[in-house]
Amino acid sequence: MTDQRARARDLGIAPGHLDPGPRNAIVDVAGVRVGHTTIVRGEDLRTGVTAIVPDAVDRAGGRLPAGLYVGNGYGKLVGATQLVELGALETPILLTGTLSAFRVADALVSYLLDLPGNEELTSVNPVVGETNDGFLSDIRRRPITREHVLDALTSADAHTVAEGCVGAGTGTAALGFKGGIGTSSRVVEVADVGAVTVGVLVQSNFGGTLTVCGVSIPRDAALGFVDAQPPERGNSCMIVVALDAGLDSRQLGRVARRAVFGMGRTGSDFAGGSGDYAIAVSVAEPATVTDHALNPIFSAVQEAVEEAVLNSLFTATTTVGYRGHIKYAVPLDHVVERCRLAGVLPAVR
């Protein structure tokens, strides 16, 4: 097995038919930044925080239209009900491990209260998602501090997004292999709007059989041995979608629904113990976009989710963690070979 990690397109694997943005990342949507705090400590802690920071909500009184879709509600998405009720995002979106979600939410509230102009603020709706990284990290220790959260927020960058075993993806696993953080984007033409950029970031931590552009990649065959450790039983996926079309919250809920559908392309089994959530946010000025014009965006978000999940696995590295548990990185040479045999990639001449 090769240890050389790569994004899907570096291997010639390009899901769908739409073009990505210049970075093929959620930061292709102008005004969106991403930051991570990664915690690897001793033998037992493999966790962290990932911050998705739209500029518009990183200041006093900031709000953006947003929609939520819950594929399966086995999770702790802090702030979900108000986001749905008002159709608005008031804070950056933070991701972490399950039992740390509440500490992260508290730290996010502190961050917002301290922003200039918020001196009289008495209510704010922090949005924090999670997946369970307890197989590789001692989740009961809840190691995330306010400083970790502030570091992720203040280090958020609009130019690059680290992927794989970073931030909230440090201890996650997906589709039989080591998972993590992944991102992708698409640019599409939308009637009466013009070019629209759709960016996606995922925290992958869910079960099923890895599928790459329709090609099944069973775990044991890929690894070349029988992995006696149990596969994931759910454990969830968080998806964040940003786009620069002026959709309203109802339309963004429809976009978020298609984001969860995109997980199916990668082989998700949508298990009952998996909390599968998608939040879609528009950073553009409100505009009249008809429902009939949304189909290109629906296609774009599904393709971007598919590629973001693949990137989260392809860039992740084999990780040893809590109690000696191991999650192996997907062998990329095996993936390439299987895709060539299936005709997804051209044969070597």
Side-chain angles (χ1 to χ4, degrees):
M1 294 185 294
T2 181
D3 287 327
Q4 185 69 34
R5 310 312 291 165
R7 304 185 84 197
R9 283 178 189 261
D10 295 335
L11 304 174
I13 296 169
H17 63 280
L18 300 171
D19 291 329
R23 300 175 183 85
N24 194 16
I26 193 171
V27 294
D28 286 328
V29 180
V32 177
R33 295 174 282 123
V34 175
H36 302 292
T37 299
T38 300
I39 299 173
V40 176
R41 191 181 304 156
E43 298 179 352
D44 293 339
L45 290 179
R46 307 286 186 270
T47 191
V49 180
T50 293
I52 301 93
V53 186
D55 290 339
V57 295
D58 196 29
R59 54 177 174 258
R63 290 165 65 93
L64 288 171
L68 171 69
Y69 182 71
V70 181
N72 190 59
Y74 195 85
K76 290 82 184 164
L77 178 53
V78 180
T81 56
Q82 184 172 317
L83 189 153
V84 171
E85 183 72 17
L86 301 183
L89 179 73
E90 299 178 351
T91 73
I93 300 168
L94 300 188
L95 308 177
T96 190
T98 300
L99 294 186
S100 292
F102 317 104
R103 291 186 172 177
V104 170
D106 183 71
L108 179 56
V109 169
S110 295
Y111 174 78
L112 268 293
L113 292 178
D114 289 342
L115 286 179
N118 278 345
E119 291 80 8
E120 303 301 319
L121 188 68
T122 58
S123 178
V124 67
N125 186 50
V127 175
V128 179
E130 53 77 26
T131 72
N132 193 311
D133 54 14
F135 185 74
L136 289 173
S137 192
D138 186 355
I139 198 167
R140 290 173 58 91
R141 287 173 62 181
R142 296 180 293 159
I144 305 297
T145 66
R146 177 178 176 176
E147 287 68 32
H148 293 134
V149 174
L150 292 177
D151 179 64
L153 287 164
T154 58
S155 67
D157 187 292
H159 303 290
T160 60
V161 180
E163 295 176 288
C165 305
V166 295
T170 304
T172 65
L175 300 167
F177 303 97
K178 180 66 184 74
I181 297 294
T183 188
S184 185
S185 69
R186 294 292 187 275
V187 180
V188 292
E189 288 291 325
V190 177
D192 301 323
V193 177
V196 171
T197 301
V198 178
V200 164
L201 183 141
V202 303
Q203 178 192 19
S204 67
N205 196 41
F206 57 94
T209 300
L210 174 61
T211 303
V212 179
C213 295
V215 181
S216 179
I217 313 289
R219 178 179 63 169
D220 292 343
L223 295 175
F225 59 86
V226 175
D227 185 356
Q229 297 178 112
E232 302 74 36
R233 298 189 182 278
N235 290 342
S236 310
C237 185
M238 281 298 311
I239 306 171
V240 178
V241 181
L243 64 160
D244 58 7
L247 307 189
D248 61 30
S249 60
R250 179 188 62 82
Q251 293 172 321
L252 289 165
R254 299 186 70 197
V255 172
R257 182 179 296 115
R258 271 67 178 187
V260 172
F261 294 170
M263 290 172 58
R265 299 186 180 201
T266 67
S268 173
D269 58 9
F270 294 105
S274 185
D276 302 322
Y277 299 88
I279 300 169
V281 180
S282 171
V283 302
E285 292 295 323
T288 300
V289 182
T290 66
D291 285 348
H292 294 297
L294 295 179
N295 283 339
I297 294 176
F298 292 162
S299 295
V301 72
Q302 290 177 80
E303 286 190 15
V305 168
E306 180 180 9
E307 187 164 353
V309 170
L310 296 183
N311 285 338
S312 76
L313 275 78
F314 291 1
T315 58
T317 55
T318 295
T319 300
V320 181
Y322 184 51
R323 295 179 174 173
H325 295 164
I326 303 173
K327 277 299 174 184
Y328 295 97
V330 58
L332 300 185
D333 50 358
H334 178 82
V335 171
V336 169
E337 179 184 8
R338 291 278 300 158
C339 287
R340 282 181 175 146
L341 288 172
V344 171
L345 290 174
V348 176
R349 296 186 183 276

